């Protein structure tokens, strides 16, 4: 669409018909990650071990995100980026699964201004992860997470999401 280059954020450009942010996914990997999904181009936004956040557009034009092999989301592009972020700087999905070390895995998307996310707990230091339009974060086992903070390049908090409900309603056993 006309004016796409002037949009201020990678997700706004993606919803307007531009390429997804992130790195291209290798062709052989695509078959294993998105079984049966026909997508014109799939991008990897974030990765931690074997957990990934992927973005792609379906042939019908919907904008989709896969969070690991555990959950996914597709939004018709005409709904716009507002349906995804609801005015926030960051989103959070999960926890949906525990890794081999017993850590809950959180996934999320982040606006361009977010450079890292911090998961704060009732006690102890936060867990951090880099955010390059997305993140995969592993929570400390046996902890009580309280909030996710989106941090900008200058080290200041840009947004804070309460995650207590997410962890109180996590799947039993992961």
């Amino acid at each position: 669409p006309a004016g796409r280059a002037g949009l201020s954020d990678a997700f706004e450009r993606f919803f307007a018909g531009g390429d997804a942010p992130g790195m291209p996914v290798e062709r052989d990997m695509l078959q294993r990650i998105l079984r049966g999904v026909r997508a014109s181009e799939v991008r990897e936004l974030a990765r931690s071990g074997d957990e990934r956040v992927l973005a792609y557009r379906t042939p019908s034009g919907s904008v989709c995100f896969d969070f690991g092999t555990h959950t996914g989301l597709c939004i018709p592009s005409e709904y716009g980026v507002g349906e995804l972020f609801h005015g926030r700087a960051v989103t959070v999905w999960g926890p949906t699964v525990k890794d081999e070390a017993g850590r809950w895995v959180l996934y999320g998307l982040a606006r361009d201004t977010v450079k890292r996310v911090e998961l704060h707990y009732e006690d102890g230091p936060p867990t951090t992860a880099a955010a390059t339009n997305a993140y995969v974060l592993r929570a400390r086992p046996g902890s009580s997470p309280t909030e996710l903070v989106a941090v900008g390049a200058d080290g200041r908090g840009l947004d804070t999401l309460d995650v207590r409900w997410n962890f109180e309603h996590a799947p039993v056993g992961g």
Side-chain angles (χ1 to χ4, degrees):
R4 180 178 11 185
L7 294 173
S8 64
D9 169 279
F11 288 108
E12 290 174 356
R13 292 187 297 272
F14 185 33
F15 270 81
D19 291 337
M23 302 297 295
V25 175
E26 311 83 46
R27 212 65 170 147
D28 62 328
M29 196 63 137
L30 186 58
Q31 289 293 331
R32 293 188 313 218
I33 297 169
L34 295 173
R35 293 176 210 118
V37 172
R38 295 183 60 192
S40 60
E41 191 167 342
V42 177
R43 300 282 187 157
E44 181 179 282
L45 303 179
R47 173 193 246 173
S48 175
D50 61 346
E51 299 294 339
R52 300 167 182 241
V53 177
L54 302 174
Y56 58 95
R57 183 176 282 97
T58 64
S60 68
S62 290
V63 170
C64 299
F65 302 93
D66 277 358
F67 304 100
T69 57
H70 316 289
T71 190
L73 167 74
C74 287
I75 300 172
S77 59
E78 63 268 14
Y79 285 14
V81 74
E83 280 299 307
L84 186 60
F85 284 97
H86 298 283
R88 309 305 299 248
V90 68
T91 67
V92 64
W93 274 273
T96 58
V97 68
K98 287 184 180 178
D99 68 10
E100 60 283 346
R103 299 173 295 187
W104 283 110
V105 181
L106 286 177
Y107 307 90
L109 302 174
R111 301 298 283 234
D112 288 349
T113 55
V114 178
K115 300 306 173 197
R116 78 173 188 273
V117 292
E118 298 177 349
L119 184 62
H120 291 246
Y121 304 92
E122 287 181 2
D123 58 1
T127 303
T128 64
T132 54
N133 290 119
Y135 63 89
V136 178
L137 189 144
R138 295 166 191 267
R140 202 169 57 226
S143 61
S144 298
T146 57
E147 61 187 17
L148 182 79
V149 179
V151 180
D154 62 1
R156 287 194 237 181
L158 301 172
D159 200 358
T160 301
L161 300 175
D162 186 325
V163 296
R164 289 176 290 198
W165 187 93
N166 298 60
F167 284 89
E168 289 168 4
H169 294 88
V172 175

